[in-house]
Amino acid sequence: MSNFCFLRVWLSLLFCILSLSSQAQSVRHVKLFYPENIDTKGKQIPLTPEQTKVFQYFEKEAALKFSIVILPWKRAQLEVERGNGIIYGFSKSLERLDRYRFSLPFLNLPVWAISYGPENAQIAELKDLKGKIVATSVGITHGIEFERARETVFTVTEDFLSYQERLKKLIAKRSDIILVPYNQQVSREQVEFTINRKLIPGFDDPELNGRVFNVSINPIFIDTIHFASSKEHWSEVVDRIDSAIERGLKNGSLSKLLLNY
């Protein structure tokens, strides 16, 4: 065998060995913390098929294997800050930027204001929330603009209530506003239809039956959704996710998945 042929064979074998080694080590296993979302019976609301497909996309495109851990939102954030995994569905705030490494945004969610009564029927922009009480889940934010407005434009009250019970707070005037993010493709009319024609009848609750809730004329905020890790851990995983986001938005595969999210 000539030296040239020997070199070609040797390089081919070396390439195969390195390729196999790379494939064997390519998949990273990581805990993915996801917020607890309890229904009126105290049971976790399961992931939707659309959410599952998004997770499968990132597993495939970023060579990851997620172990999904469902926890109350504040506890999930603490686990991530300790380096025990990454978190999904995370919005930015000034405080969080100091403590977490955020992925690129992969979803923009218009945030609508839901209210009750004629006095709140014409809410159209942030200034219309002046002096209002906004009810949210504990540990929830809707982005940096929301954080700047809380306690200056409006007051936030946090609770562990279900969406159904929070609507009752609006009726009882113990709060004025619920902020609800919806897919970017959804119009105001679609939000109104979903809440008043589908959601309310689906609860079959005497306190809610026949009630009509207001939807703001425009979204009040635009929230960006991210994966995130602690600043000291899982940076390679977030890098992989960023690459998958860039590819998926460029070639349309991720955008297609998010259409009905």
Side-chain angles (χ1 to χ4, degrees), residues 42 74 108 184 190 206 215 234:
K74 279 202 168 182
N108 295 323
Q184 55 194 344
Q190 288 172 307
V215 176
W234 304 104

Side-chain angles (χ1 to χ4, degrees), residues 12-39:
S12 295
L13 288 171
L14 179 62
F15 177 79
C16 290
I17 292 170
L18 291 175
S19 178
L20 289 171
S21 175
S22 175
Q23 291 175 14
Q25 298 177 8
S26 62
V27 176
R28 289 291 306 273
H29 291 250
V30 58
K31 288 182 180 179
L32 180 64
F33 290 96
Y34 184 82
E36 187 178 64
N37 190 10
I38 304 299
D39 65 16

Side-chain angles (χ1 to χ4, degrees), residues 41-250:
K41 297 180 180 179
K43 294 183 178 180
Q44 172 69 21
I45 298 173
L47 297 175
T48 66
E50 291 77 16
Q51 289 170 321
T52 300
K53 289 177 182 177
V54 169
F55 291 157
Q56 290 172 344
Y57 168 86
F58 282 104
E59 286 186 317
K60 178 182 177 182
E61 294 296 323
L64 299 172
K65 181 61 179 175
F66 294 137
S67 296
I68 297 176
V69 180
I70 296 173
L71 289 175
W73 201 221
K74 279 202 168 182
R75 183 178 166 194
Q77 294 171 42
L78 182 59
E79 290 293 316
V80 172
E81 193 172 359
R82 290 170 173 168
N84 293 330
I86 65 174
I87 200 165
Y88 170 80
F90 218 37
S91 301
K92 287 185 176 181
S93 71
L94 296 175
E95 179 188 8
R96 289 177 180 178
L97 286 172
D98 288 334
R99 297 157 54 198
Y100 300 94
R101 156 86 187 276
F102 282 80
S103 74
L104 294 172
F106 62 91
L107 186 62
N108 295 323
L109 294 179
V111 180
W112 300 84
I114 311 303
S115 62
Y116 185 76
E119 69 277 13
N120 293 317
Q122 298 301 313
I123 290 172
E125 53 188 315
L126 178 58
K127 69 177 184 179
D128 297 327
L129 301 190
K130 183 69 177 177
K132 303 289 187 184
I133 298 174
V134 176
T136 70
S137 297
V138 174
I140 290 294
T141 182
H142 295 289
I144 291 176
E145 189 179 359
F146 167 85
E147 290 298 320
R148 287 174 174 156
R150 66 186 293 165
E151 312 307 335
T152 56
V153 177
F154 50 78
T155 300
V156 172
T157 175
E158 296 185 342
D159 57 51
F160 291 100
L161 296 177
S162 66
Y163 188 64
Q164 181 176 349
E165 293 302 317
R166 208 167 282 135
L167 288 172
K168 293 179 183 179
K169 284 181 69 173
L170 294 181
I171 295 171
K173 300 191 182 302
R174 289 186 288 123
S175 60
D176 302 300
I177 301 293
I178 302 171
L179 294 174
V180 180
Y182 271 84
N183 187 288
Q184 55 194 344
Q185 304 297 322
V186 175
S187 67
R188 180 196 186 198
E189 291 73 22
Q190 288 172 307
V191 177
E192 287 180 321
F193 180 84
T194 299
I195 292 174
N196 293 317
R197 300 290 187 87
K198 294 177 69 176
L199 189 66
I200 300 301
F203 286 141
D204 193 24
D205 187 322
E207 293 185 52
L208 295 177
N209 288 343
R211 305 282 187 172
V212 177
F213 292 86
N214 309 312
V215 176
S216 56
I217 296 170
N218 306 299
I220 305 300
F221 304 104
I222 301 295
D223 195 6
T224 56
I225 304 302
H226 309 256
F227 290 86
S229 69
S230 74
K231 293 219 170 183
E232 293 78 26
H233 302 88
W234 304 104
S235 59
E236 184 208 348
V237 167
V238 179
D239 287 341
R240 293 188 188 198
I241 289 172
D242 280 347
S243 296
I245 292 171
E246 288 178 328
R247 287 195 306 274
L249 295 180
K250 185 175 181 180

